[in-house]
């Protein structure tokens, strides 16, 4: 089994047992650095929009406070750094479809930037169209992140009516994957600029 397949297996095991999984070093330091160059080029070119006003409809169970700015990626991008991410994501989709028969047909994926003081209140990732969001994929790009920077992802899991909150720091290279329509989650206030890529695998 390749190292990549081993990471995919670990993710799938976590998702099937707990509904979420965390994989560190899913992206290498070099891949993160390359992505950040593309990210900032696009950001500085004014391509990002406040979340919820983008080209695709955003829908959440209730109106939530969502303080980030986003840019949807073109899945046929020829940018080398984006290509690496999109191809890795497609490899995971192929692996999921082959081993778990999840029937993922599409992916939507965006860059996200939270400025200092921003957060995203507790919510669930649901989608308006017929296509469902099966898995949420969050790739973090924050080198030198320290606990005082806040900006944690909190995932809420529920077992026998006992709620547990899992706190996940958005450190560079880390991928978090969870069942989109089943798990509540939030992003706590960030005290440093926070960079990530969010993807949804759709059926
Ligand atoms: C989202 C989301 C979590 C994060 O984009 O819907 O919940 O850690 N993101 O950025
Ligand atoms: Ni979310």
């Amino acid at each position: 089994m390749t190292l990549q397949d081993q990471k995919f297996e670990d993710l799938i095991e976590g998702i099937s047992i707990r509904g979420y999984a965390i994989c560190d070093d899913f992206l290498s330091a070099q891949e993160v650095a390359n992505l950040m160059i593309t990210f900032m080029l696009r950001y500085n070119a004014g391509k990002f929009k406040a979340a919820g006003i983008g080209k695709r409809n955003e829908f959440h169970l209730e109106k939530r406070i969502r303080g980030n700015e986003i840019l949807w990626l073109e899945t046929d991008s020829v940018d080398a750094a984006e290509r690496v991410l999109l191809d890795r994501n497609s490899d995971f989709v192929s692996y999921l479809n082959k081993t778990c028969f999840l029937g993922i047909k599409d992916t939507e994926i965006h860059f996200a930037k939270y400025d200092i003081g921003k957060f995203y209140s507790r919510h669930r990732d649901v989608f308006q169209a017929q296509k469902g969001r099966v898995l949420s994929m969050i790739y973090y790009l924050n080198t030198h992140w320290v606990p005082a920077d806040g900006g944690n992802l909190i995932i809420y899991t529920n077992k026998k009516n006992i709620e547990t909150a899992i706190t996940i720091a958005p450190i560079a290279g880390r991928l978090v994957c969870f069942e989109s329509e089943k798990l509540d989650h939030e992003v706590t206030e960030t005290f440093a600029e926070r960079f990530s890529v969010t993807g949804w695998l759709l059926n």
Side-chain angles (χ1 to χ4, degrees), residues 12-23:
I12 290 166
E13 184 181 311
I15 295 159
S16 60
I17 293 171
R18 297 179 292 271
Y20 73 91
I22 303 166
C23 182

Side-chain angles (χ1 to χ4, degrees), residues 32 35 65 85 92 118 122 130 154 160:
V32 168
L35 270 168
I65 300 165
L85 181 76
F92 184 53
K118 302 295 185 184
R122 183 168 172 160
Q130 297 90 327
I154 315 276
K160 293 183 182 148

Side-chain angles (χ1 to χ4, degrees), residues 60 66 68 110 114 120 123 125 138 140 153 178 185-187 194 196 198 200:
H60 279 99
R66 185 183 186 189
N68 58 346
H110 67 56
Y114 289 73
Y120 192 168
H123 67 280
D125 296 348
I138 326 261
Y140 296 111
L153 169 67
F178 58 89
H185 57 281
E186 69 175 290
V187 177
R194 181 187 192 271
S196 59
T198 296
W200 287 285

Side-chain angles (χ1 to χ4, degrees), residues 9 60 75 77 79 96 99 117 135 138 140 161 192 198:
E9 279 294 324
H60 279 99
T75 44
S77 169
D79 174 87
L96 275 172
T99 60
L135 291 176
I138 326 261
Y140 296 111
N161 274 333
T198 296

Side-chain angles (χ1 to χ4, degrees), residues 37-178:
I37 291 170
T38 299
F39 190 120
M40 288 318 290
L41 275 173
R42 303 210 190 294
Y43 186 79
N44 291 329
K47 305 273 190 216
F48 282 52
K49 300 264 186 313
I53 316 170
K55 64 179 176 180
R56 265 158 262 204
N57 290 335
E58 282 297 319
F59 176 74
H60 279 99
L61 284 177
E62 294 167 40
K63 278 253 171 279
R64 302 289 177 182
I65 300 165
R66 185 183 186 189
N68 58 346
E69 292 169 277
I70 64 166
L71 172 67
W72 291 101
L73 273 73
E74 303 296 340
T75 44
D76 59 357
S77 169
V78 293
D79 174 87
E82 289 179 345
R83 219 38 284 145
V84 167
L85 181 76
L86 291 162
D87 291 344
R88 183 89 34 88
N89 198 78
S90 313
D91 286 351
F92 184 53
V93 168
S94 305
Y95 198 88
L96 275 172
N97 283 341
K98 194 173 65 185
T99 60
C100 305
F101 310 104
L102 277 180
I104 307 294
K105 298 195 184 67
D106 212 352
T107 296
E108 44 174 20
I109 187 160
H110 67 56
F111 286 137
K113 180 174 182 290
Y114 289 73
D115 283 329
I116 292 170
K118 302 295 185 184
F119 55 90
Y120 192 168
S121 304
R122 183 168 172 160
H123 67 280
R124 229 174 256 196
D125 296 348
V126 292
F127 196 56
Q128 219 166 16
Q130 297 90 327
K131 286 179 182 176
R133 283 178 168 168
V134 180
L135 291 176
S136 301
M137 314 276 292
I138 326 261
Y139 301 86
Y140 296 111
L141 307 178
N142 307 290
T143 37
H144 316 300
W145 197 261
V146 294
D149 292 335
N152 290 307
L153 169 67
I154 315 276
I155 295 180
Y156 297 93
T157 63
N158 213 306
K159 224 177 191 175
K160 293 183 182 148
N161 274 333
I162 299 168
E163 185 171 89
T164 311
I166 293 100
T167 301
I168 303 165
I171 62 171
R174 175 172 280 175
L175 166 66
V176 177
C177 186
F178 58 89

